Each structure stands twice: as structure tokens, then as C-alpha cells.
């Protein structure tokens, strides 16, 4: 009886070994395919992240340049606004009109004489 138990135990061990060997063979084949697919997917994800980061950096640089241009434009508009405010704050519109006519348009009163220094260039 002991010999029969030992024989059936050996048979079970042999059957387990055969099943284990077949399972390992199948698993190794799938494992190689899984590794390949996993590596390919990982590389694609890394490339996509890199492209996204590069695109974001380009957009950031464009926005920085646009911001600098807008800051310059804001400074110009503030200067222009200050000029308009000074015009509005002048006491008399007539004095403003006279100043513009003399400075920018070169007008003069009929009895006024203007002398220009021609020695300086």
C-alpha cells in the first residue's frame, strides 16, 4: 500500500511538472509580446509628452513676446493719455489753440516778427 501511494504521488508530481513546463512555455511567449507592446506604448507616451512640452514652450515664448509688445503699447498709450489730460487741464482752450498753431503749424500774428538763428545747424 505504501508503494502505491508513493507511485501515485510520483505520478502527480510528474503531471504537475509537465503542466508547469507547458504553462511556463506559454507564459514566456506571451511575456515577450507583452514586454514589446509595453515598451512600444511607453515610448509613444514619452514622445507625446515631449512633443506636448515642446509645444507648450513655444507657445509660452510667443505669449512672452506678445506681453512685451503690449507693455510697450500700454506705455505709449499712457504717455498719450497724459498729454491729453494736460490739454484738458489747461485753463483756456484759446491758449492751447494758439500754442498748436505756433508750434506745429508755424502760424504767427500779422504784426509779429520771428527771428531764426541760422548760425546753428
Amino acid at each position: 500500500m505504501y508503494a502505491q501511494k508513493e507511485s501515485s504521488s510520483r505520478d502527480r508530481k510528474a503531471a504537475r511538472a509537465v503542466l508547469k513546463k507547458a504553462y511556463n512555455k506559454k507564459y514566456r511567449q506571451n511575456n515577450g509580446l507583452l514586454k514589446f507592446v509595453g515598451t512600444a506604448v511607453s515610448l509613444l507616451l514619452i514622445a507625446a509628452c515631449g512633443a506636448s512640452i515642446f509645444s507648450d514652450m513655444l507657445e509660452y515664448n510667443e505669449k512672452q513676446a506678445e506681453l512685451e509688445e503690449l507693455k510697450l503699447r500700454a506705455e505709449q498709450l499712457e504717455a498719450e493719455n497724459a498729454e491729453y489730460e494736460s490739454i484738458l487741464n489747461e485753463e483756456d482752450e484759446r491758449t492751447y489753440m494758439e500754442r498748436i498753431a505756433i508750434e506745429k503749424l508755424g502760424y504767427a500774428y500779422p504784426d509779429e516778427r520771428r527771428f531764426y538763428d541760422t548760425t546753428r545747424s
Side-chain angles (χ1 to χ4, degrees), residues 52-67:
S52 176
I53 290 171
F54 183 72
S55 171
D56 290 344
M57 286 175 48
L58 288 177
E59 185 178 352
Y60 175 77
N61 289 337
E62 289 174 1
K63 294 297 180 184
Q64 285 288 37
E66 185 179 338
L67 178 63

Side-chain angles (χ1 to χ4, degrees), residues 48-108:
C49 289
S52 176
I53 290 171
F54 183 72
S55 171
D56 290 344
M57 286 175 48
L58 288 177
E59 185 178 352
Y60 175 77
N61 289 337
E62 289 174 1
K63 294 297 180 184
Q64 285 288 37
E66 185 179 338
L67 178 63
E68 292 300 320
E69 290 175 12
L70 289 174
K71 284 181 180 179
L72 286 173
R73 180 70 179 135
E75 289 175 7
Q76 291 171 350
L77 290 174
E78 286 175 3
E80 189 177 331
N81 190 29
E83 182 182 337
Y84 290 143
E85 282 182 7
S86 71
I87 292 169
L88 290 174
N89 291 334
E90 284 188 9
E91 293 177 13
D92 189 2
E93 185 178 336
R94 182 172 176 84
T95 57
Y96 169 72
M97 299 295 271
E98 285 178 8
R99 185 170 51 94
I100 294 296
I102 292 169
E103 290 175 4
K104 293 190 177 184
L105 301 175
Y107 289 165

Side-chain angles (χ1 to χ4, degrees), residues 1-89:
M1 181 155 158
Y2 180 71
Q4 255 185 352
K5 284 185 180 180
E6 206 173 287
S7 165
S8 69
S9 174
R10 277 191 230 145
D11 290 341
R12 280 191 220 141
K13 284 182 182 179
R16 278 190 202 148
V18 169
L19 286 174
K20 189 175 182 181
K21 188 175 181 181
Y23 176 77
N24 284 339
K25 184 177 179 183
K26 183 177 181 181
Y27 178 73
R28 277 190 219 128
Q29 288 174 351
N30 288 340
N31 191 18
L33 181 62
L34 287 175
K35 283 183 183 179
F36 175 75
V37 170
T39 303
V41 168
S42 297
L43 289 175
L44 286 174
L45 286 175
I46 290 171
C49 289
S52 176
I53 290 171
F54 183 72
S55 171
D56 290 344
M57 286 175 48
L58 288 177
E59 185 178 352
Y60 175 77
N61 289 337
E62 289 174 1
K63 294 297 180 184
Q64 285 288 37
E66 185 179 338
L67 178 63
E68 292 300 320
E69 290 175 12
L70 289 174
K71 284 181 180 179
L72 286 173
R73 180 70 179 135
E75 289 175 7
Q76 291 171 350
L77 290 174
E78 286 175 3
E80 189 177 331
N81 190 29
E83 182 182 337
Y84 290 143
E85 282 182 7
S86 71
I87 292 169
L88 290 174
N89 291 334

